[in-house]
Amino acid sequence: MNKKTKKLKSVLQFAGFGLPSFFIWLTVIIIPFIYGIWITFTDWNGLALDIHYVGFDNYIAVFTDATFLTAFVKTLIYAVFTVLASNVIGFLLALAVTGGIKGQSLFRTGFFTPNIIGGIILGYIWNFIFSYAFTAVGKTLGIGWMSTSWLTNPTRALIALIVVSAWQMSGYLMVIYIAGLTNISSEMIEAAKVDGATGWQVVKSVKIPLIRNTIAICVFLSISRAFMSFDTNLSLTAGGPYKSTELIAYKIYQTAFTSMEFGKGQAQALVLFVIVAVISLLQVYYIGNCETSF
């Protein structure tokens, strides 16, 4: 087979397999992304055909908008507590279902199930629980803090959002932690036990150091998901009460589709994209350093 035939064959293989994927990637990801960046420099309201160029006005408005900055701070608070809670719970669940207990496969399935449920459905389910189930129990038992819905109190509503998000995300992180824990050599664990290490000492001094990469992956994944949280925020609290639970993704939705300020909303979305991109790059950098340190 001569060089021209080989080259033609390679071109035909790319055209048959690579070109469709490249076309989909270009039309679904790249072109809309570039178009979205262009929108940030306009005053488009989503409907008007007469679009005006406004320069960096939308970006200036983003960083001078008190409601956006408030939503950003709320998102930071939400992300910190959600990441901590979901990772701790996910790790503890992974320890439990890799310890040789009976029916651990069933427990794994049960703990992972909340992650399968869509955020919209999950939000409505927990909305009913907080509004009716908890209040009924609280009134029956005479427990004051359970007698009224958490979703009507600004502080408790944010706590409720964190609880639901951590409950959903912990099952997903559990699967990743299980993969890391099962890769630890059983000989190392047995050697630690022979040396007199307790169960907690084995976890602290053997298991945790050996799954540093897994921990880093879970932490950064949960941070990214926390910053992009939208569906649960929409169906559970809808940003209320009094916008006390309006996270950054929901704020972008409100700006673009409720206030019809697509240029400003797209600028806010681009800011969120940069934040998530930086988190992803930090994840790659940190994991790379972890791998080279072994």
Side-chain angles (χ1 to χ4, degrees):
M1 187 181 292
N2 55 43
K3 292 183 178 179
K4 289 185 178 180
T5 305
K6 288 182 178 179
K7 188 175 181 180
L8 179 61
K9 185 177 180 181
S10 299
V11 171
L12 291 175
Q13 286 177 342
F14 172 76
F17 294 97
L19 193 58
S21 300
F22 176 77
F23 177 77
I24 294 172
W25 175 73
L26 185 67
T27 55
V28 176
I29 303 296
I30 300 302
I31 293 177
F33 180 73
I34 296 173
Y35 179 65
I37 294 176
W38 174 77
I39 289 176
T40 64
F41 297 102
T42 70
D43 63 352
W44 189 47
N45 64 2
L47 297 173
L49 297 178
D50 188 18
I51 303 174
H52 302 95
Y53 178 77
V54 296
F56 290 93
D57 288 356
N58 288 323
Y59 291 99
I60 295 172
V62 168
F63 292 105
T64 56
D65 184 356
T67 59
F68 180 79
L69 296 177
T70 301
F72 179 73
V73 172
K74 291 288 183 183
T75 306
L76 283 177
I77 297 171
Y78 164 82
V80 168
F81 287 100
T82 300
V83 169
L84 288 174
S86 59
N87 277 276
V88 170
I89 295 172
F91 178 69
L92 293 176
L93 291 176
L95 284 177
V97 298
T98 55
I101 61 174
K102 292 183 179 180
Q104 64 182 24
S105 298
L106 181 63
F107 284 115
R108 291 182 186 183
T109 303
F111 294 142
F112 184 73
T113 299
N115 189 70
I116 301 174
I117 304 173
I120 293 290
I121 298 173
L122 197 69
Y124 284 126
I125 292 172
W126 276 93
N127 189 302
F128 174 83
I129 293 173
F130 282 117
S131 299
Y132 299 100
F134 280 177
T135 55
V137 173
K139 290 176 182 177
T140 302
L141 300 178
I143 304 175
W145 60 271
M146 286 183 63
S147 300
T148 57
S149 175
W150 284 20
L151 305 181
T152 60
N153 180 282
T155 302
R156 291 180 183 177
L158 185 59
I159 295 173
L161 186 59
I162 293 170
V163 169
V164 175
S165 300
W167 178 74
Q168 181 187 29
M169 200 183 302
S170 59
Y172 172 72
L173 299 179
M174 175 197 70
V175 175
I176 303 175
Y177 280 122
I178 288 173
L181 290 171
T182 53
N183 284 329
I184 298 175
S185 172
S186 58
E187 286 79 7
M188 296 186 67
I189 297 175
E190 290 300 325
K193 291 181 178 179
V194 169
D195 289 340
T198 63
W200 166 242
Q201 289 173 330
V202 169
V203 172
K204 182 182 70 172
S205 303
V206 179
K207 292 185 177 181
I208 291 179
L210 291 176
I211 61 168
R212 286 188 299 172
N213 278 1
T214 303
I215 295 172
I217 291 171
C218 287
V219 168
F220 282 106
L221 278 177
S222 54
I223 292 174
S224 299
R225 289 186 60 168
F227 270 94
M228 295 188 294
S229 178
F230 170 74
D231 46 4
T232 306
N233 190 191
L234 172 65
S235 57
L236 180 63
T237 64
Y242 315 114
K243 296 187 176 183
S244 60
T245 60
E246 188 177 65
L247 303 183
I248 190 169
Y250 187 74
K251 173 61 180 175
I252 293 169
Y253 167 80
Q254 289 289 93
T255 302
F257 295 98
T258 301
S259 302
M260 301 300 290
E261 296 178 287
F262 273 74
K264 183 179 177 182
Q266 187 65 30
Q268 293 174 350
L270 194 62
V271 171
L272 177 59
F273 167 78
V274 171
I275 293 172
V276 176
V278 169
I279 293 170
S280 301
L281 290 174
L282 288 174
Q283 175 185 352
V284 173
Y285 174 78
Y286 182 80
I287 293 175
N289 284 347
C290 285
E291 289 177 349
T292 55
S293 64
F294 280 107

